[in-house]
Amino acid sequence: MRFPIGIKLILTFILVAVVPIAITTLVSLKLISSNLESALQKNGMSTLRDAKSILSQYLSRAEGIAQFLANSNDIAVGMELGDVQERLDNIEDFWRLGIVEIFDSNKKLAFRSHAERKGMGWFYTAQDDEILDKALDLDTVSDYFSYSEGLVIRVSAPIIDMRTMDVLGIIVVSYPFKEVLLQDIKSRIKAEVSVQWEQTGSMISTIQNEDGQPVIRAWESAVTDFRGFNDRAVLQQEKIFLKSYLISYQTLKNKNKEPVGILSTAIDAEYLRQTKRGLYVIIFVSSGCAFLLAVFIAVVVSRTFTQPISNLVDTMESVAQGNLDKRVEVAKNDEIGDLAVKFNEMTLKLKNSFTKNESQRNEIAKLQSYLSNIIESMPSTIIAVDDKGKINQWNQAATDFTGLPAEEVRDDSLLKVFPQLSPVYSNVELAIKKVKPHRHEKVSLLMGSEYRQVDITIYPLAAKGSNGAVIRLDDVTDKVRIEEIMIQSEKMMSVGGLAAGMAHEINNPLGGILQGIQNIRRRISPDLEKNREVAEKYQINLLDLHSYLDERNILRYMDGIQKSGLRAAEIISNMLIFSRKSDSQKSPVVIAKLLEETLELAKQDYDLKKKYDFRHVEIKRHFDHHLKPVKCVETEIKQVILNLLRNATQAMLEAGVEKPCIELKTSFCRGMTQVEVKDNGPGMIDKTRKRIFEPFFTTKPVGQGTGLGLSVSYMIIANNHAGTMEVESEKGFGARFIIRLP
């Protein structure tokens, strides 16, 4: 039975479109359901890990605040003058959710932040607390502590007078597990958070009951026996106040591995069912629409193709009977219309078959055009010359490479048009004479104001009555530069590893020197009882000894040794931090401190061969110390600043600037933190300034610059940190680079 083509098209569209859609829908429903449940479970465990990580961050933050305040000269002076309360009032927001307490050496309270806040009393440190005694013994305490009223993160650190090494007081930083702390964690992990600290079920939670009050007792199905609870995290689905949650539990332990409570996170599981329902509706509606669309397209296509094809068949039958004047009516400009046009052309060619010779000439012309198009479209520069060196072929790539159109150079001398090829022209003549190809790699050609590396291949042409050669030039400048960059990167990796190893090796004896000089100062101090006992045993007056050491400048020498050792330790620390491979983790960074550390690195970076020494450059600082920390990858920003400092220093010294100077300025502009690096060097022309951030662009000769330094710096600022990087410069008036970070 023969079906019309319209019916066949409709059936084909239905089979091709509807059946796969139905199968895909069923499979998708099952996969989506399974993936949603799996994703919810993974998300539950992930929120628990994130919550523990945030608690660790709070512990680290408390340690950092304690060390910062303990090492602050302002705090030490305040302890002596008795005005530490006034000195710390202005920076109380520095610790935000925490409590800062300062005790003197007799464990008497000197300062307490947030003292007026309601419900904070049980978080205060008692005078008989063990952490105060440990701090007086120069021991820093940092841990979770459990009380009947709740949990608290607490860190203590001694305040030491660096001149006498006496303990002036104690810094105690506490982060209580209050609602505001848990709400902060909740906002960051996008899940409810609960902490239980007693076997009786006492807890603090962000989950609210039907009255909008936070939960203060563990729900019926919650894990309460945390002392017998396995360390492994537990994931289970529970109902709390008639609402379904996916709960993740894990014990919270102090540094002695003792459990102090249970940390749990809860994800609303109701949205899983709602999401499934929504997906089912979307998939079924989409399937129905796809089915209707398939039927509609099949009907339209059937009507579009059936009539034109029938007309084409009728015309073909007429032509087959010998009617060569018959033509197909071209109704539409589509594929069938194209087919009708081609059929009409074929009929016309059949009718005009007696013009065979003319058709052959047309074919030859088309072939020549085809070959010419091939040559023109080749990315390599193609130049064909005869045995006298006259140009007879010059493709588009040659025009792009030299800037000369083919019409101007055809039949002209190769050496006249392209004098840069004069060093290899003798090989062109040799290749034509011996009919043997020649190849030259990485030939340096001066094109305009820029040197380009090219591979030159010479192919001889031998034909009856005419000889010549084809010269092919391939620009490999970028390839050569990439190879040089890879070699240089390997060298720098080796040098970096060697420097890091040397820094570690230097740290060991340096630590011994600093520890030794510190112990010498302590052993000759008349303030220590043990020193006085030993001195009396050998009948030595420590005060007289001190006077002698002071008069002979021995104490000053010891101070110099200690200061130089600390200076060397700081330099080594900066080198290790900078050479360490970045983990691409962004963290809040004080820009002024980052710039100072980068300057310290730059002072150690000099190259006698390039007459480059950063220590000969005057540095002017204009820092806004009220700027907030910027969240960035510290090592990457250091890399950008160090690259700018190197470029500025090298440009100024090479230009012979009498008093080289670099200005560093920080400010807040357009809602972003702005860093400016300005020099009084030779500056640059406008053409160079516009291309300064392009990869591989360099004004230095080949081999002396990769052209990637500023392009990589721009990528770090723009792509990695969503910032901006600009340059302002005029020839003879220095350069000013502007970096803005959100």
Side-chain angles (χ1 to χ4, degrees), residues 328-433:
V328 180
E329 182 180 355
V330 181
K332 294 184 179 180
N333 186 21
D334 54 13
E335 288 79 1
I336 295 181
D338 293 341
L339 182 61
V341 170
K342 295 299 180 183
F343 181 80
N344 291 337
E345 291 176 356
M346 182 189 71
T347 305
L348 182 61
K349 288 180 180 180
L350 288 174
K351 184 178 179 180
N352 300 323
S353 59
F354 61 90
T355 59
K356 182 177 180 181
N357 292 334
E358 183 179 357
S359 298
Q360 289 177 347
R361 287 194 298 270
N362 290 336
E363 290 297 324
I364 293 173
K366 288 173 63 177
L367 180 59
Q368 289 176 338
S369 176
Y370 179 70
L371 293 175
S372 178
N373 288 336
I374 292 176
I375 295 174
E376 289 295 318
S377 63
M378 290 183 67
S380 300
T381 296
I382 302 296
I383 303 172
V385 297
D386 59 19
D387 54 355
K388 295 180 181 180
K390 301 291 184 179
I391 298 173
N392 50 42
Q393 183 67 45
W394 185 274
N395 72 344
Q396 183 61 40
T399 299
D400 296 338
F401 192 63
T402 62
L404 299 173
E407 295 78 12
E408 293 183 8
V409 302
R410 188 168 284 113
D411 297 328
D412 211 341
S413 171
L414 176 64
L415 291 179
K416 178 181 176 182
V417 174
F418 209 150
Q420 295 91 333
L421 293 179
S422 57
V424 298
Y425 185 72
S426 60
N427 291 309
V428 176
E429 297 175 332
L430 188 63
I432 296 174
K433 182 178 180 180

Side-chain angles (χ1 to χ4, degrees), residues 251-304:
T251 53
L252 195 61
K253 293 187 175 183
N254 59 22
K255 292 188 177 180
N256 293 328
K257 304 301 182 182
E258 299 172 346
V260 296
I262 292 179
L263 174 66
S264 61
T265 58
I267 299 177
D268 188 356
E270 292 291 336
Y271 86 98
L272 177 62
R273 185 166 57 254
Q274 297 174 0
T275 303
K276 285 183 179 179
R277 189 183 302 115
L279 288 173
Y280 293 160
V281 172
I282 292 173
I283 290 175
F284 280 119
V285 171
S286 300
S287 301
C289 292
F291 174 78
L292 295 176
L293 181 61
V295 173
F296 174 75
I297 292 174
V299 173
V300 172
V301 171
S302 174
R303 291 181 178 179
T304 302

Side-chain angles (χ1 to χ4, degrees), residues 22-217:
I23 296 174
T24 303
T25 299
L26 295 176
V27 174
S28 298
L29 288 175
K30 186 171 182 63
L31 289 177
I32 290 172
S33 177
S34 175
N35 290 339
L36 282 174
E37 293 179 0
S38 176
L40 187 62
Q41 292 178 357
K42 290 181 180 178
N43 194 20
M45 300 305 292
S46 175
T47 55
L48 183 61
R49 289 193 299 270
D50 292 344
K52 293 194 72 175
S53 175
I54 293 173
L55 288 178
S56 298
Q57 294 174 16
Y58 270 104
L59 186 61
S60 299
R61 181 186 298 175
E63 294 172 351
I65 293 172
Q67 288 298 327
F68 170 76
L69 295 177
N71 295 333
S72 173
N73 185 58
D74 221 23
I75 301 300
V77 173
M79 293 295 295
E80 293 180 355
L81 299 180
D83 60 350
V84 68
Q85 176 78 39
E86 181 180 348
R87 292 171 181 268
L88 289 178
D89 280 343
N90 295 328
I91 60 172
E92 188 170 290
D93 288 339
F94 180 54
W95 42 82
R96 200 160 65 91
L97 305 180
I99 302 173
V100 174
E101 300 170 297
I102 301 180
F103 296 84
D104 60 18
S105 58
N106 295 321
K107 299 193 293 186
K108 182 180 178 181
L109 181 67
F111 168 78
R112 175 177 286 147
S113 68
H114 306 319
E116 73 284 355
R117 290 192 181 179
K118 184 178 179 181
M120 287 290 189
W122 62 269
F123 292 112
Y124 298 153
T125 306
Q127 285 187 322
D128 58 351
D129 199 308
E130 182 181 359
I131 67 171
L132 298 180
D133 296 325
K134 289 185 177 181
L136 290 175
D137 292 336
L138 304 182
D139 188 10
T140 298
V141 177
S142 172
D143 211 340
Y144 299 104
F145 292 89
S146 176
Y147 301 94
S148 60
E149 295 85 353
L151 294 175
V152 63
I153 295 172
R154 182 157 288 161
V155 176
S156 69
I159 305 173
I160 300 174
D161 188 340
M162 298 308 295
R163 297 170 297 176
T164 62
M165 301 307 294
D166 291 336
V167 178
L168 298 179
I170 306 162
I171 296 290
V172 180
V173 180
S174 306
Y175 278 97
F177 280 65
K178 297 285 286 183
E179 290 83 2
V180 64
L181 180 65
L182 265 62
Q183 287 294 341
D184 182 58
I185 298 175
K186 173 183 175 180
S187 67
R188 294 165 69 180
I189 67 173
K190 309 302 181 187
E192 306 288 350
V193 185
S194 305
V195 176
Q196 175 194 333
W197 66 86
E198 278 194 335
Q199 299 285 80
T200 58
S202 296
M203 69 161 50
I204 183 170
S205 176
T206 60
I207 300 176
Q208 297 181 348
N209 59 20
E210 58 273 11
D211 297 327
Q213 299 298 321
V215 177
I216 60 173
R217 305 293 298 177

Side-chain angles (χ1 to χ4, degrees), residues 5 19 67 145 210 226 298 386 475 653 739:
I5 187 171
V19 174
Q67 288 298 327
F145 292 89
E210 58 273 11
F226 61 82
D386 59 19
D475 190 345
L653 295 180
I739 298 171

